Amino acid sequence: MDNPVIQEGSHHWRAPDSGSFKINCDAALLRNKKVIVGVLRNCRGLVLDGFARTVKMCSSLHGELLAIRDVCSMALNLRLKGVEIESDNFAVLSC
């Protein structure tokens, strides 16, 4: 079975391989709030867990790194194996 694709507006989300998980993370700098988010989905696209919280950050790169740190902690705490972490920040992904 092919991995499902979820389309929201102009964005596409592709499911991980069967039996695996994907965690999407992001950071946002909004007026007076700085927020990081993470969403855990299974191979069928079902949301299993997630978070959104305000943090102290000095840049979007810093926020994205905080989000990645927290989704890694979430995966470890849930004892997940076969986890793919996805971010839209090219600077973080190229590190």
Side-chain angles (χ1 to χ4, degrees), residues 53-69:
R53 67 175 138 269
T54 58
V55 295
K56 292 183 181 183
M57 67 173 118
C58 57
S59 68
S60 60
L61 176 64
H62 182 219
E64 200 78 29
L65 290 169
L66 291 173
I68 289 172
R69 179 199 63 188

Side-chain angles (χ1 to χ4, degrees), residues 3-4 7 25-27 45 47 50-51 60 63 65-66 73 76 81 84 86:
N3 295 358
Q7 183 173 352
C25 58
D26 205 357
V47 175
F51 66 86
S60 60
L65 290 169
L66 291 173
S73 292
L76 288 170
K81 295 187 183 208
E84 180 181 336
E86 188 170 85

Side-chain angles (χ1 to χ4, degrees), residues 25-78:
C25 58
D26 205 357
L29 300 165
L30 310 168
R31 292 187 185 162
N32 296 328
K33 289 193 177 188
K34 298 168 183 170
V35 180
I36 60 172
V37 298
V39 178
L40 167 66
R41 295 182 191 200
N42 67 10
C43 59
R44 294 188 319 241
L46 181 67
V47 175
L48 303 176
D49 201 353
F51 66 86
R53 67 175 138 269
T54 58
V55 295
K56 292 183 181 183
M57 67 173 118
C58 57
S59 68
S60 60
L61 176 64
H62 182 219
E64 200 78 29
L65 290 169
L66 291 173
I68 289 172
R69 179 199 63 188
D70 286 6
V71 298
C72 287
S73 292
M74 179 170 57
L76 288 170
N77 289 338
L78 295 172

